Amino acid sequence: QLGLYLGSFDPLHLGHEWAAGRLLERCGRVLLVVPGRHFDKSIRPGENASLAQRLAMIGRFARRAGGLVLGGVAGEVLFVRLAARAAALFPRAGITFGMGDDTYERLLRSPEYFQRAGLAWTRTDAESLARLRERAMVFGRRRDGAGRVTVPEDLREVSSTRVRAVVAALRGDPRHAASRLQELRTLVAPDILEFVLRSGLYVRAEPVPVMLGGERR
């Protein structure tokens, strides 16, 4: 069994590591895959880590995981097509996709993303999507439900957006460095935090979303 987790990992945080651990309970190996391109996100130097930097962070986690976690780059970001390519690369492995609530919603919108890419949505694609939905491990950060793996309370507010914002605040106003470093230690592993700070990442960042009525704003 192979767990496949597609994400930006910008940066890799403790929520990602927890999710990889849950995938490892079902699969012998987990592959953390960074998309080579995005539909919904713009990568800005200074505000985002480069592809090489994200892979370096995954590499640090992989070493701690004793080789059970691997990193890679996906040239394909449409889940149905990515699943087909993964099956061709690993023909003997049953593949389970791991994803959070937001990514699962994008998975359900696969026909829309095919249209945006100028691709026809076929009956075969619809059947592949149905199989993906059955095998997906969905991590319920915002809500629980059938088929979802409940994320612990202390990890539900952990996000890459929040990490980037706290790092940017730390660099912009060192007077509160101690409290912000303490907060960052609850969001990312020590080796990842060391890499982020040493690499000068996240000079600027978007504001941290606020949870209102169970929805991220």
Side-chain angles (χ1 to χ4, degrees), residues 80 121-131:
V80 170
W121 179 254
T122 67
R123 179 177 179 179
T124 300
D125 295 323
E127 292 170 349
S128 297
L129 176 58
R131 289 193 295 270

Side-chain angles (χ1 to χ4, degrees), residues 49-113:
S50 68
L51 184 60
Q53 288 169 326
R54 297 176 202 202
L55 291 173
M57 286 186 269
I58 292 173
R60 290 185 171 218
F61 176 41
R63 288 191 289 274
R64 283 192 275 112
L68 297 179
V69 174
L70 305 170
V73 179
E76 180 59 70
V77 295
L78 297 169
F79 275 102
V80 170
R81 291 163 62 94
L82 177 60
R85 293 195 180 188
L89 286 172
F90 307 101
R92 294 186 176 183
I95 297 173
T96 296
F97 276 86
M99 61 191 70
D101 290 313
D102 293 339
T103 304
Y104 185 67
E105 294 302 321
R106 289 194 291 271
L107 172 68
L108 299 183
R109 292 164 54 199
S110 289
E112 173 190 332
Y113 285 103

Side-chain angles (χ1 to χ4, degrees), residues 20-190:
R22 302 293 73 73
L23 275 169
L24 281 174
E25 294 174 357
R26 180 183 296 182
C27 308
R29 294 286 190 278
V30 170
L31 182 60
L32 303 183
V33 183
V34 184
R37 62 187 181 90
H38 294 265
F39 271 112
D40 300 316
K41 297 182 180 180
S42 298
I43 305 304
R44 301 179 179 88
E47 297 182 35
N48 300 104
S50 68
L51 184 60
Q53 288 169 326
R54 297 176 202 202
L55 291 173
M57 286 186 269
I58 292 173
R60 290 185 171 218
F61 176 41
R63 288 191 289 274
R64 283 192 275 112
L68 297 179
V69 174
L70 305 170
V73 179
E76 180 59 70
V77 295
L78 297 169
F79 275 102
V80 170
R81 291 163 62 94
L82 177 60
R85 293 195 180 188
L89 286 172
F90 307 101
R92 294 186 176 183
I95 297 173
T96 296
F97 276 86
M99 61 191 70
D101 290 313
D102 293 339
T103 304
Y104 185 67
E105 294 302 321
R106 289 194 291 271
L107 172 68
L108 299 183
R109 292 164 54 199
S110 289
E112 173 190 332
Y113 285 103
F114 267 60
Q115 183 179 28
R116 288 171 60 179
L119 299 170
W121 179 254
T122 67
R123 179 177 179 179
T124 300
D125 295 323
E127 292 170 349
S128 297
L129 176 58
R131 289 193 295 270
L132 274 175
R133 291 180 61 182
E134 290 177 358
R135 294 185 58 84
M137 181 180 285
V138 184
F139 307 111
R141 184 171 67 181
R142 297 200 311 272
R143 57 188 178 275
D144 300 326
R148 282 179 166 78
V149 180
T150 302
V151 176
E153 287 288 343
D154 62 334
L155 292 176
R156 290 196 175 198
E157 298 304 309
V158 176
S159 69
S160 295
T161 300
R162 180 178 173 188
V163 175
R164 292 194 299 268
V166 176
V167 172
L170 171 66
R171 299 188 191 284
D173 185 1
R175 292 175 298 175
H176 303 288
S179 63
R180 283 172 178 147
L181 283 171
Q182 183 177 2
E183 180 179 1
L184 286 167
R185 293 187 184 103
T186 70
L187 304 176
V188 295

